[in-house]
Amino acid sequence: MDDSGDEFELKRRFAESSVTSLPRAPLYASLSAGVAADPNLHRILLDAPPTQRLPVLLFASIHSLLLAEPTHPLADWYPNLRSVPRLPQDDELMPTFSTFVRDHLNEIKQLVSTRSTQTNEVGRSLLFLPPLGMITQEVGAVTMVDVGTSGGLNLLLDKFTYLYEPDNGTPASTVGASSTVSLTTSTRGTVPIPARLPSIAGRLGIDANPIDVTNAEQARWLEACVWPDQLERFRHLRSAIELARIDPPRIVKGDLVAEISKALERVRPLGHPVVTNSWVLNYLHGSDRDAFMCELEHIGAASNLSWIAAEAPALTTGLPWPCEIAENEQTQLLLTTWRDGIRTVRHLAQCHPHGFWMHWR
């Protein structure tokens, strides 16, 4: 594609983002519309690798700089940086935004050319907890290997508090003692909520580009990838980072396919191994995803294994999705177990990708 074609595609992506971001990210919706209309702004993403030319990467780069410079006038529109933010419809938003970009252009270009959007959504622990409870009820103590772990925050699953609120008016269920990270989800159906947090005997993360949460700059990038309108997500992330800094999770840097077998060998002596992943496998090429699946099959054929995946079937072909949801683009929760060499697959629930709700089957 030539430069004019690239620019047209960027303009289209920002225009689309102005619509899709509106319900939960009104600030980014307004900024997307403004960037789509200004070639000097959307052309900045031409510095990013083709696979990363996404509106959220530009906004995360600017957000990161604002987190480091929260007194700048642009921060007045960011709900996570001001207790009473200015409205996104304010006519002064785009001029202030453009000035900030102009004054920080080299830093922004450096970020978009070297960074990738990377989230560590602790709300997904709400999705992992019920199947983990099912597994621990069967086998006792478990170990976790979280692939695509980012900063490893979901490996701290047993250090959070959970509230599951049924949508039928029945009483909510709380799991876990008081924690600085308290997560809530709305449920539909009979979710097998465990009476207590699972006993996690060992934990290990794998990521191609892990985040060191003890490093202020790296932790700030994780924060920057959260949309500033979503205050609850932002607060949860910051609280989880503080917890992680007390006892940082162990993370192996490397390829998911190459490292998964070695990681499971390291944790297996401590307890039954459980692999977890959420919105990770869609980023792999189809052949790599097939190779990852083959590795799990090979390991599971030789020794007992459990695997919890929260992914979108339409974006993760090759996983053992039931035929009826193979083209579904919403997050689905899948539990696959290998016991005595026999594989069993269970489609458990449809979920919000950040854990806001869960519809149990």
Side-chain angles (χ1 to χ4, degrees), residues 12-22 28-29 32-33 55-56 59:
R12 184 197 67 77
R13 288 177 182 177
F14 277 101
E16 183 180 72
S17 175
S18 70
V19 176
T20 57
S21 300
L22 188 57
Y28 279 3
S32 293
V56 288
F59 295 147

Side-chain angles (χ1 to χ4, degrees), residues 130-131 134 188-192 333 346 348-350 358-361:
M134 294 163 59
R188 181 181 300 171
T190 307
V191 182
L333 191 62
R346 292 184 59 186
L348 300 180
Q350 180 167 293
M358 174 189 301
H359 296 170
W360 201 265
R361 299 184 73 248

